[in-house]
């Protein structure tokens, strides 16, 4: 048995493996903070660029490597588009069918028609791809990221209702404000709603515990993206237990604070937004 290992092929294989890792990592939206639209476009540019590199080479091993990375770029691009834009099943079918036709056509062109763009054509396409990529990244950076604005009511009326057979505690629920996500860019961007927690003040000592703050609609019921020049509004609701046997409506003041340390003489709901960074007004 011949166990001789071609060192060149091994290194090419490692290069392809690392290229796949880089493409997947890039598609996770954790590196450059690009919009979904521009990330997908750059993956498509990588596909075209490596395809062109393979076509411009003689049919050697390096050309095969370029074709492999090109194909991987397209697979990552398609998976990214489907996962981020969440198209319907019919659209996914046509995307897969169209991709199959595309690669069969490319395979025919490479093997049968022996497509080989000239040097001038190759240079022109590469320059065009670089210009398009730079323009997209620049426009993306100038467009700005998604911002979030939290507006709270001055006061709210909490509806208190009994909790099972426990007559010493009641459940309170109320609407306390809104969270608005705004995308100033022309491109679709991912949405990462901030975490909001709450606490009580001006009530019995045993009730100064953390309260639940929820979005309506819930984040898992809405797309994790926001189209260009778009706005989405979420109602903020709170729910908590109160150590009292009195049901009915009870009025609470509402304040947005950086923490839950302050005390109040009247019943007060504190809302703490995290992380309270530059994206949140």
């Amino acid at each position: 048995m011949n166990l001789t290992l071609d060192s060149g092929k091994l290194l090419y294989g490692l290069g392809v493996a690392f290229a796949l890792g880089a493409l997947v990592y890039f598609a996770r939206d954790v590196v450059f903070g690009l919009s979904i639209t521009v990330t997908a476009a750059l993956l498509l540019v990588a596909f075209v660029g490596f395809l062109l590199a393979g076509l411009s080479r003689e049919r050697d091993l390096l050309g095969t490597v370029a074709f492999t990375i090109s194909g991987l770029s397209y697979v990552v691009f398609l998976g990214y588009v489907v996962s981020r834009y969440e198209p319907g099943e019919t659209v996914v079918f046509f995307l897969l069918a169209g991709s199959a036709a595309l690669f069969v056509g490319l395979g025919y062109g490479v093997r049968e028609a022996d497509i080989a763009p000239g040097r001038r054509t190759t240079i022109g396409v590469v320059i065009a791809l670089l210009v398009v990529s730079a323009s997209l990244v620049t426009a993306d950076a100038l467009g700005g990221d998604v911002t979030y604005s939290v507006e709270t009511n001055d006061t709210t009326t909490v509806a208190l209702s009994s909790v099972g057979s426990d007559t010493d505690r009641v459940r309170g629920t109320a609407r306390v404000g809104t969270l608005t996500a705004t995308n100033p860019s022309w491109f679709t961007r991912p949405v990462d709603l901030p975490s909001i927690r709450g606490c009580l003040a001006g009530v019995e000592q045993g009730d100064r515990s953390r309260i639940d703050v929820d979005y309506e609609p819930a984040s898992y019921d809405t797309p994790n993206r926001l189209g260009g020049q778009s706005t989405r509004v979420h109602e903020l609701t709170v729910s908590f237990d109160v150590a009292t046997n009195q049901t009915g409506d009870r009025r609470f003041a509402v304040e947005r604070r950086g923490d839950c340390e302050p005390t109040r003489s009247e019943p007060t709901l504190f809302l703490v937004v995290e992380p309270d960074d530059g994206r949140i007004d």
Side-chain angles (χ1 to χ4, degrees), residues 55-97:
L55 292 173
S56 62
R57 296 280 307 178
E58 297 293 336
R59 300 302 179 252
D60 56 7
L61 187 56
L62 191 57
T64 301
V65 170
F67 284 135
T68 302
I69 298 177
S70 175
L72 292 174
S73 299
Y74 186 87
V75 170
V76 174
F77 158 76
L78 191 62
Y80 180 80
V81 168
V82 170
S83 64
R84 298 301 273 167
Y85 285 97
E86 300 176 330
E89 295 180 356
T90 302
V91 175
V92 173
F93 168 79
F94 281 111
L95 285 173
L96 294 174

Side-chain angles (χ1 to χ4, degrees), residues 99-138:
S99 299
L102 170 65
F103 280 96
V104 169
L106 289 174
Y108 178 84
V110 170
R111 288 187 60 86
E112 305 299 333
D114 194 24
I115 301 175
R119 179 180 177 85
R120 180 174 296 181
T121 301
T122 301
I123 294 175
V125 174
V126 169
I127 292 175
L129 291 176
L130 291 175
V131 170
V132 169
S133 299
S135 300
L136 288 174
V137 172
T138 302

